[in-house]
Amino acid sequence: MNVHWVNKNTSGSTWDLGWCETNKHLIEETSKFGIVHDAKSEIAFHVSSPRLFRPIRGKKNAVFCMWESKDFPEEHRPYLHNADLLITSSNFCKEIFSEVVDCPVVVVPLGVDNSIWTSRRRVWQPGESFQWLIAGAPSARKGLDTIQDVWNREFYGREDCHLYCKLTTAKFEQPVQRAIYDGFEEHSPGVVYKDNVVLDFRKLPIKDLVETFHRSHGFVFPTAAEGFGLQLLEAMATSLPCIVTKYSGVLDFTTEETVKYVSWAPYENTYSSVDGDKAVLNSAMASVDDVAASMHAIMADYRSALKMGKRAARLAQTFTWEKTGQQVARILEQFQQTVPRYGS
């Protein structure tokens, strides 16, 4: 089947790295099921943030997009109103978009490459420093502010644990200089540390990124909101015991048996619009007390936490990029059947 794949970009700046990664996998996997790029096709397929989606006139426009707040900005609505099909990653997103668009909204979850994100058997011996990992953009939405509050209150300066923050940035020079100003010391290019906290701003090759997950003992993800939450699914795939806010898109692939949920309170998150104006979007503020208690519980009974991690890995392994590509290809084929042929 031929489609006009509008955005072929698979590399980008800090804020759109996740979109580019998703786009790369969709291009690769849908091609296995007969999807071919053809700029002359009457169907235009966009993989894009809603803020960048622009429908192509004269074509039927299908868009794969996500959003992280039940408040959807008015500035984006006119564009999505012109979508003819919307594919999204979670039921949380479907609920948001169904209030905005008149076209069908279909859920297709994201996936992991299980040949890369492999399960790892972990052992934590007394006297060994327990490595807590948080990964993602250095933002409040990803829970960095919350884990900093937890760490400063409960764990800072302890010798039995340390916090490794794998932070996504396009260029690390500026955040490294800010960290040094805040008292961190540079360990190597892109990596700084202070006491038992490490900030890693490097863009790592995938094998090195996975190794960072493999050598960690626990993953903490007090996110404010996720359209899906791919970092969490990848952590689960490696059998890491995970802590996550019980909110938003992560609920589509987690259970009480596979992660430690933490409670939350409503939180007003500041959003920068395309034209630079500020808007407030509702999201979730993870409970600092719950995050701290969950971290203590995992360290106190690591054997039980590892069993939870194994259950998480078995669940994560059912979410693959190949399955995502197959579902998207099938949906586009069904969509094509609803598009009138020229001259008919």
Side-chain angles (χ1 to χ4, degrees), residues 15-27:
W15 74 269
D16 63 7
L17 284 174
W19 281 109
C20 292
E21 183 72 9
T22 298
N23 197 34
K24 180 187 74 173
H25 285 293
L26 288 177
I27 291 172

Side-chain angles (χ1 to χ4, degrees), residues 175-185 194 199:
V176 163
Q177 288 304 313
R178 285 200 300 266
I180 291 174
Y181 180 80
D182 290 336
F184 283 80
E185 295 181 27
K194 181 168 65 174
L199 308 181

Side-chain angles (χ1 to χ4, degrees), residues 116-118 205-215 238:
I116 298 174
W117 294 94
T118 56
I206 186 65
K207 65 180 183 63
D208 294 336
L209 179 62
V210 174
E211 179 55 34
T212 301
F213 280 71
H214 279 166
R215 69 170 180 262
T238 71

Side-chain angles (χ1 to χ4, degrees), residues 154-329:
E154 302 281 339
F155 299 101
Y156 192 82
R158 286 177 48 164
E159 296 183 355
D160 62 341
C161 61
H162 64 280
L163 176 65
Y164 200 99
C165 305
K166 180 62 201 77
L167 304 174
T168 304
T169 57
K171 295 182 179 180
F172 60 71
E173 289 80 7
Q174 186 173 358
V176 163
Q177 288 304 313
R178 285 200 300 266
I180 291 174
Y181 180 80
D182 290 336
F184 283 80
E185 295 181 27
E186 190 167 15
H187 178 267
S188 58
V191 181
V192 298
Y193 70 93
K194 181 168 65 174
D195 203 79
N196 61 347
V197 178
V198 179
L199 308 181
D200 185 344
F201 296 101
R202 298 171 299 170
K203 185 176 181 180
L204 296 176
I206 186 65
K207 65 180 183 63
D208 294 336
L209 179 62
V210 174
E211 179 55 34
T212 301
F213 280 71
H214 279 166
R215 69 170 180 262
S216 299
H217 301 98
F219 186 75
V220 58
F221 196 54
T223 175
E226 297 292 324
F228 183 74
L230 186 57
Q231 297 100 328
L232 177 65
L233 185 64
E234 291 168 343
M236 290 169 60
T238 71
S239 300
L240 266 174
C242 296
I243 299 168
V244 65
T245 314
K246 194 175 183 179
Y247 181 72
S248 68
V250 302
L251 299 182
D252 276 17
F253 60 89
T254 58
T255 67
E256 298 279 359
E257 290 73 36
T258 56
V259 299
K260 275 192 174 294
Y261 286 128
V262 295
S263 63
W264 55 276
Y267 170 62
E268 293 185 343
N269 190 21
T270 302
Y271 161 77
S272 296
S273 63
V274 175
D275 58 9
D277 290 340
K278 300 292 184 180
V280 174
L281 303 180
N282 289 319
S283 53
M285 176 65 75
S287 165
V288 170
D289 289 341
D290 275 10
V291 174
S294 296
M295 293 171 71
H296 283 300
I298 286 176
M299 294 178 66
D301 188 1
Y302 196 50
R303 180 175 296 182
S304 295
L306 289 176
K307 291 179 180 178
M308 179 182 71
K310 289 180 180 179
R311 293 192 294 270
R314 288 194 293 269
L315 178 60
Q317 287 164 4
T318 66
F319 291 82
T320 67
W321 282 114
E322 183 177 32
K323 186 181 294 184
T324 301
Q326 183 179 29
Q327 291 182 50
V328 170

Side-chain angles (χ1 to χ4, degrees), residues 1-214:
M1 172 189 169
N2 293 356
V3 302
H4 178 186
W5 202 290
V6 178
N7 179 14
K8 300 285 287 183
N9 186 32
T10 58
S11 62
S13 62
T14 302
W15 74 269
D16 63 7
L17 284 174
W19 281 109
C20 292
E21 183 72 9
T22 298
N23 197 34
K24 180 187 74 173
H25 285 293
L26 288 177
I27 291 172
E28 291 174 354
E29 299 301 333
T30 56
S31 67
K32 297 177 182 178
F33 300 97
I35 301 299
V36 177
H37 168 62
D38 178 4
K40 296 181 180 179
S41 173
E42 68 273 18
I43 294 176
F45 184 53
H46 311 250
V47 181
S48 169
S49 166
R51 67 191 291 170
L52 296 181
F53 168 64
R54 300 294 184 271
I56 297 180
R57 296 178 62 182
K59 297 192 177 190
K60 292 294 184 179
N61 290 270
V63 56
F64 188 106
C65 64
M66 296 171 272
W67 193 251
E68 298 88 8
S69 173
K70 292 187 176 180
D71 298 312
F72 191 75
E74 291 290 336
E75 66 191 273
H76 302 327
R77 296 189 179 210
Y79 303 112
L80 282 188
H81 274 309
N82 290 304
D84 299 290
L85 171 67
L86 197 152
I87 307 173
T88 193
S89 58
S90 66
N91 285 291
F92 175 78
C93 289
K94 180 177 181 178
E95 181 181 343
I96 295 168
F97 290 132
S98 294
E99 297 293 323
V100 176
V101 300
D102 296 324
C103 68
V105 181
V106 185
V107 174
V108 177
L110 306 184
V112 293
D113 184 339
N114 289 313
S115 68
I116 298 174
W117 294 94
T118 56
S119 178
R120 172 63 60 93
R121 182 177 180 272
R122 291 175 173 82
V123 178
W124 179 46
Q125 302 288 358
E128 180 183 3
S129 182
F130 190 105
Q131 177 164 297
W132 282 104
L133 173 67
I134 183 171
S139 67
R141 187 174 73 78
K142 293 296 183 180
L144 187 60
D145 290 2
T146 299
I147 190 59
Q148 286 176 335
D149 289 344
V150 172
W151 199 262
N152 289 336
R153 193 183 81 177
E154 302 281 339
F155 299 101
Y156 192 82
R158 286 177 48 164
E159 296 183 355
D160 62 341
C161 61
H162 64 280
L163 176 65
Y164 200 99
C165 305
K166 180 62 201 77
L167 304 174
T168 304
T169 57
K171 295 182 179 180
F172 60 71
E173 289 80 7
Q174 186 173 358
V176 163
Q177 288 304 313
R178 285 200 300 266
I180 291 174
Y181 180 80
D182 290 336
F184 283 80
E185 295 181 27
E186 190 167 15
H187 178 267
S188 58
V191 181
V192 298
Y193 70 93
K194 181 168 65 174
D195 203 79
N196 61 347
V197 178
V198 179
L199 308 181
D200 185 344
F201 296 101
R202 298 171 299 170
K203 185 176 181 180
L204 296 176
I206 186 65
K207 65 180 183 63
D208 294 336
L209 179 62
V210 174
E211 179 55 34
T212 301
F213 280 71
H214 279 166

